[in-house]
């Protein structure tokens, strides 16, 4: 189809095909000037072919992507038959910019084409969805890394797939790899407690606010408030996703208050 492109296209069937194409097609000369624009490219950009013909293709590229667009055009010019695909913003006639994925192909050596063909498609909606997903992932990662609670995902009776910064700090590890060098059971002071939690997760699919005594890397212990759910991953495997909050100081404070309360009660009884 590209081989039939000329500066003047007279074939009515080809024109009809181009009008129905979802991708825009533009033909450049070696100076980067537009010598042909398909009807679909007009639909995508909003510009009429008379407004594009004879103009530099770079005049439609967003200023932030002009440098990479120029470099890619130069790369394609260096080798006959070569092509390159990249993403950039394209100026729309209404004044806004749309995201497109463009493929430049060098057909200057082909006398029936005699130019550089650009196939491009509007990916604005896709790019927006990708950016929103990336933003959500970044937000979730920032929350996970800055929250004081330990957050984890592990395979039952196997390794941890993920731990956040809070997990590493609470247990005294530096990296996920270091965590996985230790048997998961070693993180529990009482292995029987671990087994009971595992069995309930398997049966009930969740546990909530369980007080568990854990062991840190250095051997010291702490009391953690643990919640976890059993979930099935996209790979079909079962995972335990959970959180652990260090409540050691809280428990110590509670114990002191209880002791103080008992002391006061004893004194009151003595006074009576």
């Amino acid at each position: 189809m590209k081989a039939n492109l000329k500066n003047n296209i007279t074939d009515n069937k080809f024109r009809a095909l181009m009008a129905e194409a979802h991708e825009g097609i533009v033909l450049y000369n070696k100076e980067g000037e537009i010598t042909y624009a398909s009807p679909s490219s007009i639909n995508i950009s909003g510009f009429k072919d008379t407004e594009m013909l004879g103009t530099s293709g770079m005049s439609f590229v967003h200023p932030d992507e002009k440098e990479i667009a120029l470099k890619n055009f130069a790369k394609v010019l260096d080798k006959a038959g070569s092509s390159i695909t990249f993403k950039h913003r394209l100026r729309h006639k209404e004044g806004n910019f749309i995201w497109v994925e463009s493929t430049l192909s060098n057909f200057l050596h082909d006398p029936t084409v005699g130019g550089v063909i650009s196939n491009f498609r509007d990916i604005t909606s896709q790019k927006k969805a990708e950016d929103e997903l990336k933003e959500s992932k970044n937000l979730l990662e920032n929350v996970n890394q800055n929250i004081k609670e330990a957050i984890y995902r592990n395979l039952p009776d196997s390794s941890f797939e993920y731990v956040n910064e809070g997990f590493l700090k609470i247990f005294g590890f530096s990296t996920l790899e270091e965590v996985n060098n230790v048997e998961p059971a070693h993180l529990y002071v009482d292995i029987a407690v671990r087994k009971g939690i595992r069995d309930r997760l398997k049966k009930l699919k969740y546990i909530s606010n369980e007080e568990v005594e854990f062991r840190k890397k250095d051997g010291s212990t702490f009391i953690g408030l643990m919640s976890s759910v059993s979930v099935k991953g996209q790979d079909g495997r079962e995972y335990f996703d959970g959180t652990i909050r260090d409540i050691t100081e809280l428990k110590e404070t509670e114990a002191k208050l209880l002791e103080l309360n008992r002391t006061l009660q004893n004194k009151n009884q003595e006074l009576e």
Side-chain angles (χ1 to χ4, degrees):
M1 183 171 67
K2 294 176 181 177
N4 289 329
L5 282 176
K6 297 181 181 179
N7 293 347
N8 258 324
I9 297 183
T10 58
D11 188 281
N12 290 332
K13 289 183 179 179
F14 186 77
R15 280 181 177 274
L17 182 61
M18 290 297 96
E20 295 298 324
H22 293 293
E23 288 191 356
I25 298 177
V26 168
L27 185 66
Y28 300 106
N29 60 22
K30 63 181 180 180
E31 284 76 32
E33 296 174 342
I34 298 173
T35 59
Y36 168 75
S38 69
S40 52
S41 68
I42 299 168
N43 294 336
I44 292 172
S45 69
F47 289 97
K48 297 178 181 178
D49 55 354
T50 53
E51 295 173 305
M52 291 188 281
L53 296 178
T55 62
S56 170
M58 293 302 157
S59 65
F60 297 96
V61 177
H62 191 282
D64 292 348
E65 281 93 49
K66 276 189 178 180
E67 184 178 352
I68 187 64
L70 284 167
K71 286 182 180 178
N72 287 336
F73 193 81
K75 284 181 182 178
V76 169
L77 284 181
D78 281 343
K79 186 177 180 181
S82 64
S83 65
I84 190 167
T85 300
F86 64 106
K87 297 176 182 178
H88 63 92
R89 282 167 287 184
L90 194 69
R91 181 163 57 92
H92 193 275
K93 187 173 182 178
E94 294 182 357
N96 60 304
F97 284 88
I98 60 173
W99 277 97
V100 297
E101 184 179 70
S102 298
T103 298
L104 297 173
S105 303
N106 185 349
F107 281 87
L108 285 165
H109 63 290
D110 189 331
T112 61
V113 180
V116 175
I117 296 176
S118 172
N119 295 74
F120 63 96
R121 62 188 181 95
D122 187 347
I123 60 167
T124 304
S125 297
Q126 175 186 330
K127 188 69 169 59
K128 182 181 178 182
E130 289 175 353
D131 289 344
E132 289 176 351
L133 179 60
K134 183 178 180 181
E135 185 178 347
S136 297
K137 285 183 176 180
N138 287 338
L139 176 61
L140 180 60
E141 185 62 22
N142 285 334
V143 170
N144 285 345
Q145 293 305 325
N146 291 299
I147 197 169
K148 291 182 179 180
E149 290 187 6
I151 299 175
Y152 67 88
R153 162 170 280 198
N154 78 305
L155 288 162
D157 300 320
S158 185
S159 60
F160 286 88
E161 294 287 303
Y162 170 83
V163 297
N164 72 335
E165 193 65 28
F167 187 103
L168 297 175
K169 287 181 179 179
I170 289 176
F171 282 91
F173 293 99
S174 299
T175 63
L176 173 63
E177 290 73 20
E178 191 176 19
V179 174
N180 283 328
N181 284 334
V182 176
E183 285 291 330
H186 184 73
L187 300 178
Y188 293 77
V189 171
D190 189 340
I191 296 178
V193 171
R194 176 179 181 269
K195 184 179 183 301
I197 289 173
R198 177 189 176 282
D199 291 345
R200 272 178 289 145
L201 277 171
K202 286 280 190 179
K203 182 179 180 180
L204 303 176
K205 301 303 180 184
Y206 77 97
I207 60 166
S208 180
N209 295 328
E210 294 272 343
E211 290 188 10
V212 181
E213 190 173 8
F214 291 100
R215 182 182 291 109
K216 298 184 180 183
K217 177 186 174 183
D218 62 7
S220 60
T221 62
F222 71 94
I223 304 298
L225 193 66
M226 181 182 188
S227 295
S228 185
V229 294
S230 172
V231 298
K232 181 171 287 188
Q234 292 183 345
D235 55 8
R237 296 190 295 179
E238 181 184 27
Y239 292 93
F240 290 164
D241 292 346
T243 63
I244 300 169
R245 179 159 61 95
D246 187 346
I247 59 170
T248 305
E249 290 185 7
L250 178 62
K251 298 299 291 184
E252 290 174 350
T253 300
E254 287 179 354
K256 289 177 181 179
L257 288 173
L258 286 172
E259 182 60 30
L260 178 61
N261 187 49
R262 280 195 293 266
T263 301
L264 290 173
Q265 286 179 345
N266 291 335
K267 288 187 178 293
N268 286 336
Q269 289 176 355
E270 290 174 2
L271 289 174
E272 292 175 356

